[in-house]
Amino acid sequence: QKGGYDYFMQKEIYDQPEALTNTVMPRLHNGLADFSADGISDDLFKDISRVIVTACGTAMHAGLVGRHLIESMVRIPVTVELSSEFRYMDPILDEHTLVVIVSQSGETADSLAALRLANERGSKTLSIVNVKGSSIARESDQVLYTHAGPEIAVASTKAFSVQCSGFYLIALKLAELSGKFTEAELSEYCKKFEEAIATVPEVLKMDSYIKDIAEKIKDTFSAFFLGRSLDYAIASEGSLKLKEISYVNSEAYNAGELKHGTISLVTEGVPIIAIATQDHVLPKIMANVEEVKARGAHVIMVTDKDMSDYEGVYDDLIQVPSVDDRFGTFGVTVALQLLAYHVTVFRGNDVDQPRNLAKSVTVE
Ligand code: F6R
């Protein structure tokens, strides 16, 4: 069942090129997103004044990626809410709100409850779900199935990548319907999207290189992930992956927040994993990296950017293939999954079944 891999998580990390291809390629036609085979008509995306994404854990992080894409491209306001908070916030919902529920299992109790509330209050609901026929899939107005195949390891890997790819498709659809993009621009987006997916096998080839870096930080008590904007979403997922399986006390921070508290936690040798996939915030994140480096942190840069101007500012570099700024999610995510995986193997933990965690959280 593990297909020759040591752990399901490892297999599932390696499944990603196929999972992404299966999820994305059938839905890209002639430079556009096409959901006709899913039975999703364009009407779902018309007449919406805002989007609310609700989910838990890793799936919520995919929502943060989605928010960045949709807001930056189509200027529709997007909020991302933890499903466990959603009901208690008494959310303002109407028929012009598209509520997107993201769930690998389709059975997460809080996400299901959030969906039911959105349905009750008359919003349009779209779920991004991996498990066919699951409760969330059945109760949503529309379902965009991810085609990751079964995910067995408790720590979600391939499901996250395909959930993100779902948002890249939705952003493309909204961009088309916004009328603000030319055909050439939309088809350029598709090309860059496909190019980014094609870098995933290249990142997988960096496995043993990443393992060597993991070994350097394997004994740490804590670690911090830094990023800005889209990179903060990626950092959040990287941090969750590391903490849930390795038990390293790991947190993700918006890099700009460092000075407002967190930097007091940075001491000699603490690993700081800094994410940089976007040119417009590169100088900013590198300024933060210099600050933590000056306080003795062990900085691991994970980036697709040219770092030649910044040599000496970091200790280790995980350089993934360069892609267009909007599409850095895929390669960097895979690198961070491999980092979390190897740290965990070095620490001798049960990779697939971390303590206290269940694959599907069906209680609130
Ligand atoms: C972390 C992880 C969890 C799930 C969360 C939601 O690796 O797997 O954080 O993402 O429990 O689960 P689903 O997506 O099934 O709703």
Side-chain angles (χ1 to χ4, degrees):
Q1 253 184 325
K2 289 182 199 152
Y5 291 96
D6 294 335
Y7 293 97
F8 282 110
M9 180 183 179
Q10 188 187 27
K11 173 185 179 294
E12 288 160 8
I13 291 172
Y14 275 82
D15 281 347
Q16 287 176 110
E18 194 187 345
L20 283 164
T21 303
N22 291 346
T23 303
V24 173
M25 297 321 287
R27 293 169 172 134
L28 284 185
H29 286 141
N30 303 325
L32 296 172
D34 180 356
F35 300 130
S36 51
D38 301 287
I40 302 176
S41 93
D42 287 356
D43 289 343
L44 181 73
F45 302 103
K46 287 183 183 157
D47 229 9
I48 52 174
S49 56
R50 58 198 280 251
V51 176
I52 300 179
V53 182
T54 183
C56 301
T58 288
M60 189 277 285
H61 296 150
L64 296 177
V65 171
R67 171 184 165 183
H68 176 85
L69 293 171
I70 295 169
E71 289 196 336
S72 68
M73 287 177 71
V74 281
R75 314 304 293 159
I76 296 176
V78 182
T79 49
V80 183
E81 310 290 357
L82 288 167
S83 299
S84 53
E85 293 288 326
F86 190 67
R87 274 168 299 158
Y88 309 111
M89 293 165 30
D90 192 13
I92 302 164
L93 298 168
D94 62 20
E95 69 274 24
H96 301 296
T97 308
L98 175 65
V99 176
V100 182
I101 302 91
V102 191
S103 179
Q104 187 285 129
S105 63
E107 300 296 347
T108 299
D110 282 316
S111 303
L112 181 58
L115 164 65
R116 287 180 176 156
L117 182 66
N119 281 336
E120 257 167 53
R121 297 197 176 177
S123 295
K124 298 178 177 185
T125 55
L126 168 67
S127 59
I128 301 178
V129 168
N130 197 46
V131 177
K132 307 267 170 322
S134 54
S135 305
I136 292 175
R138 287 198 313 272
E139 295 190 30
S140 314
D141 292 339
Q142 301 292 345
V143 191
L144 185 64
Y145 279 116
T146 51
H147 299 305
E151 193 180 61
I152 311 286
V154 164
S156 190
T157 51
K158 60 180 178 174
F160 175 73
S161 289
V162 293
Q163 286 160 355
C164 291
S165 77
F167 279 110
Y168 279 86
L169 289 166
I170 291 168
L172 175 59
K173 174 54 79 185
L174 289 169
E176 176 203 339
L177 298 176
S178 74
K180 292 180 195 159
F181 294 82
T182 63
E183 261 178 49
E185 285 167 336
L186 296 171
S187 107
E188 183 70 7
Y189 176 100
C190 293
K191 186 168 152 264
K192 289 177 170 163
F193 188 7
E194 288 182 45
E195 282 168 4
I197 290 173
T199 66
V200 170
E202 301 305 310
V203 180
L204 292 170
K205 286 185 198 149
M206 299 172 68
D207 197 346
S208 66
Y209 175 82
I210 293 172
K211 181 178 174 185
D212 290 344
I213 295 174
E215 189 168 17
K216 296 186 198 177
I217 63 166
K218 69 179 171 34
D219 295 319
T220 191
F221 173 76
S222 60
F224 300 101
F225 287 70
L226 299 182
R228 285 173 185 258
S229 176
L230 175 62
D231 294 335
Y232 172 70
I234 303 171
S236 300
E237 176 52 14
S239 171
L240 176 61
K241 218 75 319 174
L242 180 67
K243 102 172 86 177
E244 69 177 322
I245 55 173
S246 72
Y247 315 144
V248 170
N249 200 326
S250 168
E251 290 302 330
Y253 284 97
N254 297 91
E257 277 294 291
L258 268 178
K259 291 186 206 53
H260 301 283
T262 316
I263 202 155
S264 66
L265 298 173
V266 177
T267 51
E268 193 65 33
V270 167
I272 302 261
I273 297 102
I275 316 300
T277 71
Q278 298 171 96
D279 278 325
H280 74 288
V281 286
L282 185 62
K284 296 275 180 199
I285 182 89
M286 296 317 292
N288 297 127
V289 165
E290 279 185 39
E291 285 163 356
V292 294
K293 185 76 190 127
R295 287 158 180 88
H298 179 111
V299 177
I300 302 171
M301 277 310 301
V302 189
T303 183
D304 68 325
K305 299 295 171 215
D306 175 12
M307 283 287 118
S308 46
D309 287 348
Y310 298 105
E311 271 165 33
V313 180
Y314 49 83
D315 297 277
D316 285 299
L317 175 63
I318 301 179
Q319 178 95 57
V320 301
S322 169
V323 293
D324 184 75
D325 262 25
R326 223 185 277 286
F327 296 92
T329 312
F330 299 101
V332 169
T333 292
V334 173
L336 296 180
Q337 292 167 349
L338 287 170
L339 187 68
Y341 170 79
H342 286 299
V343 169
T344 304
V345 174
F346 280 123
R347 288 166 80 100
N349 298 355
D350 184 340
V351 174
D352 287 335
Q353 183 50 73
R355 66 186 179 210
N356 307 337
L357 289 172
K359 182 66 186 159
S360 185
V361 184
T362 51
V363 289
E364 292 179 17

